[in-house]
CSV table of all heavy atoms in Angstrom, one decimal:
chain,number,residue,atom,x,y,z
R,493,LEU,N,-0.6,-54.2,-44.8
R,493,LEU,CA,-1.7,-54.1,-43.8
R,493,LEU,C,-3.0,-54.6,-44.5
R,493,LEU,O,-4.0,-54.8,-43.7
R,493,LEU,CB,-1.9,-52.6,-43.4
R,493,LEU,CG,-0.7,-52.0,-42.7
R,493,LEU,CD1,-0.9,-50.5,-42.6
R,493,LEU,CD2,-0.5,-52.7,-41.4
R,494,GLY,N,-3.1,-54.7,-45.8
R,494,GLY,CA,-4.3,-55.0,-46.4
R,494,GLY,C,-5.0,-53.7,-46.7
R,494,GLY,O,-5.0,-52.8,-45.9
R,495,PRO,N,-5.6,-53.6,-47.9
R,495,PRO,CA,-6.2,-52.3,-48.3
R,495,PRO,C,-7.3,-51.8,-47.3
R,495,PRO,O,-7.3,-50.6,-47.0
R,495,PRO,CB,-6.9,-52.7,-49.6
R,495,PRO,CG,-6.3,-53.9,-50.1
R,495,PRO,CD,-5.8,-54.7,-48.9
R,496,MET,N,-8.1,-52.7,-46.7
R,496,MET,CA,-9.1,-52.3,-45.8
R,496,MET,C,-8.5,-51.6,-44.6
R,496,MET,O,-8.9,-50.5,-44.2
R,496,MET,CB,-9.9,-53.5,-45.3
R,496,MET,CG,-10.7,-54.2,-46.4
R,496,MET,SD,-11.9,-53.1,-47.1
R,496,MET,CE,-13.2,-53.1,-45.9
R,497,THR,N,-7.6,-52.2,-44.0
R,497,THR,CA,-6.9,-51.6,-42.8
R,497,THR,C,-6.2,-50.3,-43.1
R,497,THR,O,-6.3,-49.3,-42.4
R,497,THR,CB,-5.9,-52.6,-42.2
R,497,THR,OG1,-6.4,-53.9,-42.3
R,497,THR,CG2,-5.6,-52.3,-40.7
R,498,TYR,N,-5.5,-50.4,-44.3
R,498,TYR,CA,-4.8,-49.2,-44.7
R,498,TYR,C,-5.7,-48.0,-44.9
R,498,TYR,O,-5.4,-46.9,-44.3
R,498,TYR,CB,-4.1,-49.5,-46.0
R,498,TYR,CG,-3.2,-48.3,-46.5
R,498,TYR,CD1,-2.0,-48.1,-46.0
R,498,TYR,CD2,-3.7,-47.5,-47.5
R,498,TYR,CE1,-1.2,-47.0,-46.5
R,498,TYR,CE2,-2.9,-46.4,-48.0
R,498,TYR,CZ,-1.7,-46.2,-47.5
R,498,TYR,OH,-0.9,-45.1,-47.9
R,499,PHE,N,-6.8,-48.2,-45.6
R,499,PHE,CA,-7.6,-47.0,-45.9
R,499,PHE,C,-8.5,-46.6,-44.8
R,499,PHE,O,-9.2,-45.6,-44.9
R,499,PHE,CB,-8.4,-47.2,-47.2
R,499,PHE,CG,-7.5,-47.1,-48.4
R,499,PHE,CD1,-7.3,-48.2,-49.2
R,499,PHE,CD2,-6.9,-45.9,-48.8
R,499,PHE,CE1,-6.5,-48.2,-50.3
R,499,PHE,CE2,-6.2,-45.8,-49.9
R,499,PHE,CZ,-5.9,-47.0,-50.7
R,500,SER,N,-8.6,-47.4,-43.7
R,500,SER,CA,-9.4,-47.0,-42.6
R,500,SER,C,-8.8,-46.0,-41.7
R,500,SER,O,-9.4,-45.4,-40.9
R,500,SER,CB,-9.8,-48.2,-41.8
R,500,SER,OG,-8.7,-48.8,-41.2
R,501,SER,N,-7.5,-45.7,-41.9
R,501,SER,CA,-6.8,-44.7,-41.1
R,501,SER,C,-6.8,-43.4,-41.9
R,501,SER,O,-6.4,-43.3,-43.1
R,501,SER,CB,-5.4,-45.1,-40.7
R,501,SER,OG,-4.6,-44.0,-40.6
R,502,GLY,N,-7.2,-42.3,-41.3
R,502,GLY,CA,-7.2,-41.0,-41.9
R,502,GLY,C,-5.8,-40.6,-42.4
R,502,GLY,O,-5.6,-40.0,-43.5
R,503,TRP,N,-4.8,-40.9,-41.6
R,503,TRP,CA,-3.4,-40.5,-41.9
R,503,TRP,C,-3.0,-41.2,-43.2
R,503,TRP,O,-2.3,-40.6,-44.0
R,503,TRP,CB,-2.5,-40.8,-40.8
R,503,TRP,CG,-2.5,-39.8,-39.7
R,503,TRP,CD1,-3.0,-39.9,-38.5
R,503,TRP,CD2,-1.9,-38.5,-39.8
R,503,TRP,NE1,-2.8,-38.7,-37.8
R,503,TRP,CE2,-2.2,-37.8,-38.6
R,503,TRP,CE3,-1.3,-37.8,-40.8
R,503,TRP,CZ2,-1.8,-36.5,-38.3
R,503,TRP,CZ3,-0.9,-36.5,-40.6
R,503,TRP,CH2,-1.1,-35.9,-39.3
R,504,ASN,N,-3.3,-42.5,-43.3
R,504,ASN,CA,-2.9,-43.2,-44.5
R,504,ASN,C,-3.6,-42.7,-45.7
R,504,ASN,O,-2.9,-42.5,-46.7
R,504,ASN,CB,-3.2,-44.7,-44.3
R,504,ASN,CG,-2.3,-45.4,-43.3
R,504,ASN,OD1,-1.2,-44.9,-43.1
R,504,ASN,ND2,-2.7,-46.5,-42.8
R,505,LEU,N,-4.8,-42.3,-45.5
R,505,LEU,CA,-5.6,-41.7,-46.6
R,505,LEU,C,-4.9,-40.4,-47.1
R,505,LEU,O,-4.7,-40.2,-48.3
R,505,LEU,CB,-7.0,-41.4,-46.2
R,505,LEU,CG,-8.0,-42.4,-46.5
R,505,LEU,CD1,-9.4,-42.0,-46.0
R,505,LEU,CD2,-8.1,-42.6,-48.0
R,506,PHE,N,-4.4,-39.7,-46.1
R,506,PHE,CA,-3.7,-38.4,-46.4
R,506,PHE,C,-2.4,-38.7,-47.2
R,506,PHE,O,-2.2,-38.1,-48.2
R,506,PHE,CB,-3.4,-37.7,-45.1
R,506,PHE,CG,-2.6,-36.5,-45.3
R,506,PHE,CD1,-3.2,-35.3,-45.7
R,506,PHE,CD2,-1.2,-36.5,-45.0
R,506,PHE,CE1,-2.4,-34.2,-45.9
R,506,PHE,CE2,-0.5,-35.4,-45.1
R,506,PHE,CZ,-1.0,-34.2,-45.6
R,507,ASP,N,-1.6,-39.7,-46.7
R,507,ASP,CA,-0.4,-40.1,-47.3
R,507,ASP,C,-0.7,-40.4,-48.8
R,507,ASP,O,0.0,-40.0,-49.7
R,507,ASP,CB,0.2,-41.3,-46.7
R,507,ASP,CG,0.9,-41.0,-45.4
R,507,ASP,OD1,0.8,-39.8,-45.0
R,507,ASP,OD2,1.4,-41.9,-44.7
R,508,PHE,N,-1.7,-41.3,-48.9
R,508,PHE,CA,-2.0,-41.8,-50.2
R,508,PHE,C,-2.4,-40.7,-51.2
R,508,PHE,O,-1.8,-40.6,-52.3
R,508,PHE,CB,-3.2,-42.8,-50.1
R,508,PHE,CG,-3.6,-43.5,-51.3
R,508,PHE,CD1,-2.8,-44.5,-51.9
R,508,PHE,CD2,-4.7,-43.0,-52.0
R,508,PHE,CE1,-3.2,-45.1,-53.0
R,508,PHE,CE2,-5.1,-43.6,-53.2
R,508,PHE,CZ,-4.3,-44.7,-53.7
R,509,SER,N,-3.2,-39.8,-50.7
R,509,SER,CA,-3.7,-38.8,-51.7
R,509,SER,C,-2.6,-37.8,-52.0
R,509,SER,O,-2.4,-37.4,-53.2
R,509,SER,CB,-4.9,-38.0,-51.1
R,509,SER,OG,-4.8,-37.7,-49.8
R,510,VAL,N,-1.7,-37.5,-51.0
R,510,VAL,CA,-0.6,-36.6,-51.3
R,510,VAL,C,0.3,-37.3,-52.4
R,510,VAL,O,0.8,-36.6,-53.3
R,510,VAL,CB,0.2,-36.2,-50.1
R,510,VAL,CG1,1.5,-35.5,-50.4
R,510,VAL,CG2,-0.7,-35.3,-49.2
R,511,THR,N,0.6,-38.6,-52.2
R,511,THR,CA,1.4,-39.3,-53.1
R,511,THR,C,0.8,-39.3,-54.5
R,511,THR,O,1.5,-39.1,-55.5
R,511,THR,CB,1.7,-40.7,-52.6
R,511,THR,OG1,2.1,-40.6,-51.2
R,511,THR,CG2,2.8,-41.4,-53.4
R,512,VAL,N,-0.5,-39.6,-54.5
R,512,VAL,CA,-1.2,-39.6,-55.8
R,512,VAL,C,-1.1,-38.2,-56.5
R,512,VAL,O,-0.8,-38.1,-57.7
R,512,VAL,CB,-2.6,-40.0,-55.7
R,512,VAL,CG1,-3.4,-39.8,-56.9
R,512,VAL,CG2,-2.7,-41.5,-55.3
R,513,PHE,N,-1.3,-37.2,-55.7
R,513,PHE,CA,-1.2,-35.8,-56.3
R,513,PHE,C,0.2,-35.6,-56.8
R,513,PHE,O,0.4,-35.0,-57.9
R,513,PHE,CB,-1.5,-34.8,-55.2
R,513,PHE,CG,-3.0,-34.4,-55.2
R,513,PHE,CD1,-3.8,-34.6,-54.1
R,513,PHE,CD2,-3.6,-33.9,-56.3
R,513,PHE,CE1,-5.1,-34.3,-54.1
R,513,PHE,CE2,-4.9,-33.5,-56.3
R,513,PHE,CZ,-5.7,-33.7,-55.2
R,514,ALA,N,1.2,-36.0,-56.0
R,514,ALA,CA,2.6,-35.8,-56.5
R,514,ALA,C,2.8,-36.5,-57.8
R,514,ALA,O,3.5,-36.0,-58.7
R,514,ALA,CB,3.6,-36.3,-55.4
R,515,PHE,N,2.2,-37.7,-57.9
R,515,PHE,CA,2.4,-38.5,-59.1
R,515,PHE,C,1.7,-37.7,-60.3
R,515,PHE,O,2.3,-37.6,-61.4
R,515,PHE,CB,1.8,-39.9,-58.9
R,515,PHE,CG,2.0,-40.8,-60.1
R,515,PHE,CD1,3.3,-41.3,-60.3
R,515,PHE,CD2,1.0,-41.2,-60.9
R,515,PHE,CE1,3.5,-42.1,-61.4
R,515,PHE,CE2,1.2,-42.0,-62.0
R,515,PHE,CZ,2.5,-42.5,-62.2
R,516,LEU,N,0.5,-37.2,-60.1
R,516,LEU,CA,-0.2,-36.4,-61.1
R,516,LEU,C,0.6,-35.2,-61.5
R,516,LEU,O,0.7,-34.9,-62.7
R,516,LEU,CB,-1.6,-36.0,-60.6
R,516,LEU,CG,-2.6,-37.1,-60.4
R,516,LEU,CD1,-3.9,-36.5,-59.9
R,516,LEU,CD2,-2.9,-37.8,-61.7
R,517,GLY,N,1.3,-34.6,-60.5
R,517,GLY,CA,2.1,-33.4,-60.7
R,517,GLY,C,3.3,-33.8,-61.7
R,517,GLY,O,3.6,-33.1,-62.6
R,518,LEU,N,3.9,-35.0,-61.4
R,518,LEU,CA,5.0,-35.5,-62.2
R,518,LEU,C,4.5,-35.6,-63.7
R,518,LEU,O,5.2,-35.2,-64.6
R,518,LEU,CB,5.4,-36.8,-61.7
R,518,LEU,CG,6.6,-37.4,-62.4
R,518,LEU,CD1,7.9,-36.7,-62.1
R,518,LEU,CD2,6.8,-38.9,-62.0
Side-chain angles (χ1 to χ4, degrees):
Chain R
L493 300 171
M496 295 299 283
T497 322
Y498 181 79
F499 286 112
S500 65
S501 151
W503 277 108
N504 287 340
L505 264 178
F506 175 77
D507 286 0
F508 182 77
S509 43
V510 170
T511 310
V512 166
F513 268 119
F515 188 70
L516 291 179
L518 183 71

